[in-house]
Structure formats: structure tokens, C-alpha cells
Amino acid sequence: MELARGANTVIDGTSLKVAVSGSAPGTVDLMVFQLDDRNKVRDDADFIFFNQPVSPEGAVRLEPGGVIEIDIARLPADIHQLSVAVALDVAANGTLSAVRGMGVMVEQAGSVAIVAPALGLTTERAAVLVEIYRRGAGWKLRNMSAGWDSGLADLVTAFGVSVDEEPKTQPVGSAESADGIRSVPDEAKLSMVKREKLDLRKREVAKVLLTKGGNGIRARVVLVIDKTGSMAKQYRTRVVHRVVERMVPVAIQLDDDGKLEPYLYAVSFVKLPEISVHDAEAWSDTYLHLRGSHGGFNYDKIGAANREVPIMTEILSGLTRGSAPTLVLFFTDGGFSERKEITKLMREASGLPAFWQFVGIGKANYGVLEKLDDLDGRVVDNAGFFALDDIDTVDDAQLYTRLLSEFPDWHKAAVAAGITKP
């Protein structure tokens, strides 16, 4: 049975399997709201999503692969409706109308399946796909396919979920939980939804460091991003914005103040204001550009072609043997032409307290970067490289594993060699 937009039908039985096509964690997030007779959640526990996947009484459960298991018989008497919704991630471009095959299939035990395709969506970034609601002694399903242009914040607010930007209590300093996950005061300035997503990412970062014996390391975290002309697509599609967002949890876990120290480079470079967790979005909108003047910086003066030696030399100039460690996260689409100079710099840098993690994005020729693991003449192995090509296709667990697995090994070797502090 297929439901048109606005159409409804009776639900048979109490056990439902709701499969939502088109949802993808981190890009199109899936959620369910348990609503009372005011069409509001009773409290935030009635908001079921990726970091709170089970309703308080266990009647609604989010499963992997965009599946929702619903036991209607277990729903509390004061819950009158379930709204199944999706929302684009805040860093994702476009609208839900561009998501192919979005819709809902509801399987009922012993009865016909119901299909509710998402129809008529145009400029929405968040939408309710279907409603499951009480009607007399039974339940019905309606294809809603309606939403909000402004996205997630308006969606959750409409249903009464708290999205206060300033909680009543805020931590006064950096803190670490029993399982080794660090927090910084600026996190308190985030909305609940953003904090939940950040918590998931911090957990993945901490897991990698713990597995590799790197928990407890404190390091300065430097972010270097290529702004050459060949990166135009990565900037236009906001891939670089999403890189910044996903690097913030690394700084929180490693750096005492949880801040990223960012640079953009081409022929020359510019050092930009630090990135704090609460203003990462605004920071990206202000400073991530290829040309023009932004935030008081003239980007045209940086140039539009690759030259890595100046930015690498700048970072090296701030390092002193025996001081605290630095992790350099270097994102580029390749084009490293000064092979001899870069090779010489990396050998010299091996006696200084920094590990260089190069990440290739954009399906380019990475040249000398691909040879770093075999580079001889170094005191310790001080660099790693991997190519993602499309960072949006890699989940957080994979990304942070590839990004951070070599850093703890370098730290142990560098401490043993007297290059950096324990």
C-alpha cells in the first residue's frame, strides 16, 4: 500500500518496523519525537536520535541502517503521536529534496507493508516524513512530507525540545570523565543537539587514543588547510567546513584549552584566529575562502598555487627540542612540487617535537607525501599520510582511527629520544 502526501491509513497490530531510506548518519539524521496531546515532547527524553536511541520506556528504538522498531503496546498512555523526522546536518549543503529515494516503509506483523515516499519537498532542510497517531482505540499512519527550511533547530523547537544555547550551569575549566573523554567550558555554549553530536565524536577520538596507549597526552593541535585554486570545489561544497568541524574534537581531547590553531596556505600563508568549539561554524563562514578580503585578511596575497616550504618553516620555527608535543593536521589536495626541500625539512623536523599528519582530499596527485613512511635519515618517524579523497564518505570511527593511530607511537619514540616531554 502506498500513501500519497497527506493520506492516512489504519495500522494493524502493535509491532512496527519503520525503515527510512535516504537517511545517513552525519549527513541526514533520523529522529523520532514522542508527543503528548499538545503535540509536544513531555521532556527531552522523548526526543529519540543517534545519541539517545531508545525512548524512556523502550517502546521506540533506533537501529542501525535507518530502522526504527516500535512497540505500540508499550507507549505510555499520555503519548498521542510519534513523529518520524529527518534533518540535514548543519554543515551539509542543499535541501532534502536532493536526497534520492527518501521515504518510509512500515512493516506490520502479519499485515501489508505501507510505503510513504517523501513527496513535494522543495526547500526544506528538516521534515517530518510520517506521523503515527492515536485514533480512538487504534492507531493510524499519515504521510506528512512537510518541514522547515531553516533545518534542525526549528524542527526540534517546534516539538518542545530544549535547544538553549546557554545552560544554567557551565563548567569552569577543562574536565575529564571517568572514561577519559575531555570537555572544555565552551561546549556549554552549544545547543543540546550539537553537544550530543560532539560527544559522539569525542568518544571516537578518545577510543583511538586509548587503544593506542595515547590517552593522557596533551599536545598543541595545529590545523593547516590548502587554499590553492585546485581546492575550489572543496571550498564551494563546504567540504573544508566539515573538515574543521570534525577536527575540533581532536583539539578538545588533546589540547589543554581545546582550541585549534589554524593556517591557510598557498604560495605563502596566513595564521588565522584560533577555533573554539562554540564558534567553529561562524569561524568557518568568516575565514574559509579562496580569495578576497575576509575577517581583516587579504586572501589574494596568499596566492593560488602550492608552496609548502614557507608554512612548514613557520611551524618549525616555533618548536624547541624537549618542549611539549605538537600535532600538525595538514589537509591538502596535493601538488607538492618542492620534493627535495620538503624531504630535507622533514628530516630536520624529526628532531623537533611535532608529528605531521598529512591528509589528502580531492583525488589529486600527492607526490612526496606518499613516500613519507619510507623516508630515511630521520631521528624518529615524524609523519604520516593517507588519502581520503572524499571525506564525507568516511564515518567518524574510520576518520579518527586513520588520523590518530600513528601519533601515540611517535610520542613514545620522541619521549624516549628526548625530543618532547612525556
Side-chain angles (χ1 to χ4, degrees):
M1 177 189 300
E2 183 169 317
L3 291 181
R5 186 183 192 188
N8 64 79
T9 188
V10 174
I11 291 173
D12 296 322
T14 61
S15 180
L16 304 179
K17 181 178 179 180
V18 179
V20 179
S21 56
S23 66
T27 304
V28 179
D29 293 323
L30 174 62
M31 58 208 76
V32 183
F33 299 87
Q34 291 193 150
L35 307 174
D36 59 20
D37 57 358
R38 304 167 301 138
N39 210 39
K40 302 289 184 183
V41 295
R42 298 168 301 177
D43 55 46
D44 288 351
D46 283 332
F47 176 32
I48 301 103
F49 66 116
F50 55 84
N51 205 31
Q52 188 169 273
V54 183
S55 62
E57 72 296 318
V60 180
R61 183 181 300 271
L62 287 187
E63 301 289 353
V67 173
I68 308 162
E69 300 280 356
I70 300 174
D71 185 350
I72 289 177
R74 295 179 66 182
L75 287 170
D78 55 349
I79 294 299
H80 289 251
Q81 179 176 302
L82 302 177
S83 286
V84 177
V86 290
L88 281 172
D89 186 88
V90 292
N93 286 327
T95 64
L96 291 173
S97 62
V99 180
R100 290 181 121 190
M102 177 161 284
V104 177
M105 174 178 284
V106 181
E107 296 181 7
Q108 312 175 80
S111 187
V112 65
I114 305 168
V115 177
L119 301 170
L121 296 177
T122 55
T123 57
E124 296 87 351
R125 287 181 56 85
V128 173
L129 299 181
V130 298
E131 292 178 344
I132 299 168
Y133 58 99
R134 291 186 189 270
R135 184 62 77 226
W139 289 80
K140 300 186 77 174
L141 173 77
R142 177 183 290 115
N143 182 350
M144 289 295 293
S145 296
W148 294 259
D149 290 359
S150 52
L152 179 62
D154 279 0
L155 166 64
V156 298
T157 301
F159 291 130
V161 176
S162 171
V163 291
D164 292 340
E165 293 294 319
E166 297 287 347
K168 293 179 181 178
T169 59
Q170 298 186 19
V172 295
S174 300
E176 186 169 316
S177 65
D179 50 1
I181 300 171
R182 298 188 75 239
S183 297
V184 293
D186 280 349
E187 293 178 42
K189 299 176 183 178
L190 298 175
S191 68
M192 183 197 75
V193 174
K194 290 180 181 178
R195 287 200 306 274
E196 295 289 0
K197 178 165 285 190
L198 177 66
D199 285 345
L200 284 179
R201 286 176 168 162
K202 290 195 302 179
R203 190 171 297 278
E204 294 296 343
V205 171
K207 188 187 300 181
V208 175
L209 292 173
L210 180 62
T211 301
K212 295 292 295 183
N215 53 313
I217 297 175
R218 293 292 167 263
R220 167 192 177 210
V221 182
V222 175
L223 177 63
V224 179
I225 304 175
D226 187 338
K227 69 148 293 275
T228 56
S230 58
M231 286 281 290
K233 182 180 178 182
Q234 311 300 327
Y235 281 79
R236 185 177 66 252
T237 58
R238 297 176 72 87
V239 168
V240 180
H241 291 63
R242 295 190 285 280
V243 166
V244 170
E245 181 187 5
R246 295 173 80 175
M247 293 307 103
V248 167
V250 177
I252 292 175
Q253 193 64 30
L254 289 173
D255 197 292
D256 282 331
D257 63 6
K259 294 180 180 179
L260 283 168
E261 182 182 321
Y263 293 82
L264 293 187
Y265 89 95
V267 176
S268 61
F269 62 89
V270 61
K271 182 177 182 180
L272 297 169
E274 288 183 322
I275 306 170
S276 299
V277 60
H278 76 283
D279 67 357
E281 226 178 295
W283 185 95
S284 293
D285 288 337
T286 301
Y287 296 109
L288 290 180
H289 306 278
L290 291 178
R291 54 189 62 89
S293 293
H294 307 278
F297 298 94
N298 186 341
Y299 285 50
D300 295 325
K301 288 185 177 180
I302 307 173
N306 288 78
R307 189 158 181 252
E308 287 71 29
V309 171
I311 178 60
M312 294 176 70
T313 301
E314 167 69 11
I315 294 171
L316 290 173
S317 69
L319 302 176
T320 304
R321 186 181 177 92
S323 61
T326 292
L327 172 61
V328 182
L329 304 173
F330 202 115
F331 286 82
T332 177
D333 70 344
F336 282 41
S337 59
E338 297 176 298
R339 181 184 179 90
K340 290 182 179 179
E341 293 86 346
I342 292 170
T343 299
K344 180 182 177 183
L345 273 177
M346 291 311 300
R347 288 190 176 117
E348 294 173 355
S350 67
L352 293 171
F355 182 79
W356 300 71
Q357 182 61 64
F358 294 93
V359 183
I361 54 174
K363 298 182 180 179
N365 176 16
Y366 300 115
V368 67
L369 296 182
E370 297 175 315
K371 308 295 184 182
L372 287 175
D373 283 339
D374 301 322
L375 182 62
D376 59 11
R378 291 179 293 171
V379 181
V380 294
D381 182 353
N382 63 333
F385 169 76
F386 64 93
L388 287 175
D389 293 339
D390 185 354
I391 195 171
D392 290 332
T393 65
V394 181
D395 65 26
D396 290 327
Q398 293 174 299
L399 175 62
Y400 296 131
T401 296
R402 300 184 73 179
L403 193 76
L404 297 170
S405 288
E406 293 187 59
F407 175 63
D409 293 335
W410 166 83
H411 185 257
K412 291 173 191 173
V415 169
I419 294 170
T420 191
K421 290 182 178 179

